[in-house]
Amino acid sequence: MKAKFKGPIIQRRDQIDGSTTDQRLLDSRGPSDWVHTDPWRVLRMQAELVEGFGALAELGPAVSVFGSARLGPDHPSYAVAETLGRRLAEEGFTVITGGGPGAMEAANKGASEAGGVSVGLGIELPWESGLNDWVDVGVNFRYFFARKTMFVKYSQGFAVLPGGLGTLDEMFEAATLAQTGKITSFPIVLIGTTYWQGLVDWMRDTQLAEGTIRQDDLDRLVLTDDVEKAVALMVAAREEGSG
């Protein structure tokens, strides 16, 4: 049976194409739709991971701060995020955010003004226009999964301020990775008891009661209004990880 091998791919029968990869690479004629195909996207994904790893590999201990992009400077959580960013920087942490406005901007501002390293990991969205001005090291991503990898790989903990669906997504992903043993010694601190208490109560009264989570899953989420407590938990995790 006739067959054609293209690297790890084998083609047979009517799936055999009539040109080589090198031919399509070197020939400038013909349609350019190939740059939008899934195999080509894999190279873009690879490039994003390589760029992210290269930009962040030397950061040292870091904490990711999440929160809504919609909270302006007049919102109480903005000031909390700014204080948190400053205190983390003073304790020697790099501060990583999603690089957007609101709580993310505030945390970046606090870290940068305190002389720390302020990082923003941006994502291509239709309603946001680049990284905030307080980001000292910024990486923009096309793909959410590549960006999420950077948050988890280079952070020793998550501090979560009031936020929307994106904030919940990051928080629960970290909780899932901790639950499944993918990450260890990884504090997840929810800052803002009024905002987060209802969620934690629902998890306890519904999920825990139904047996869909365990008590230790719930215990991974630390709820507080105290920035100093949040910072102390990050410091303790860093010391435990280096011990």
Side-chain angles (χ1 to χ4, degrees), residues 156-222:
Q156 296 188 347
F158 282 1
V160 188
L161 291 138
L165 297 179
T167 301
L168 289 171
D169 180 42
E170 298 292 356
M171 180 189 76
F172 280 118
E173 179 170 36
T176 301
L177 291 172
Q179 180 196 61
T180 54
K182 303 297 185 182
I183 51 178
T184 57
S185 301
F186 195 94
I188 305 169
V189 184
L190 311 184
I191 302 175
T193 54
T194 301
Y195 189 86
W196 293 114
Q197 190 66 61
L199 173 63
V200 175
D201 289 346
W202 175 81
M203 292 176 68
R204 182 189 64 245
D205 297 340
T206 302
Q207 290 185 300
L208 186 61
E210 291 287 338
T212 56
I213 63 172
R214 298 181 355 181
Q215 182 63 48
D216 57 351
D217 298 325
L218 194 58
D219 291 342
R220 289 189 179 94
L221 305 178
V222 178

Side-chain angles (χ1 to χ4, degrees), residues 78-90 93 95 97 102-118 132 134-136:
Y78 190 99
V80 173
E82 189 173 343
T83 300
L84 177 64
R86 183 182 70 250
R87 286 291 298 118
L88 288 169
E90 289 170 350
F93 288 104
V95 172
T97 78
M104 295 174 281
E105 174 188 282
N108 285 135
K109 179 182 179 183
S112 184
E113 288 188 334
V117 181
S118 172
N132 69 68
W134 295 101
V135 169
D136 301 321

Side-chain angles (χ1 to χ4, degrees), residues 20-73:
T20 68
T21 302
D22 281 340
Q23 179 184 348
R24 290 192 299 276
L25 174 65
L26 298 173
D27 192 345
S28 60
R29 296 167 296 177
S32 59
D33 322 4
W34 63 275
V35 301
H36 304 296
T37 61
D38 286 343
W40 176 249
R41 288 189 180 98
V42 170
L43 297 180
R44 285 182 169 172
M45 295 171 191
Q46 177 181 326
E48 290 205 346
L49 291 170
V50 170
E51 289 293 337
F53 292 153
L56 306 177
E58 305 298 327
L59 287 181
V63 172
S64 286
V65 178
F66 297 101
S68 176
R70 303 179 184 186
L71 305 182

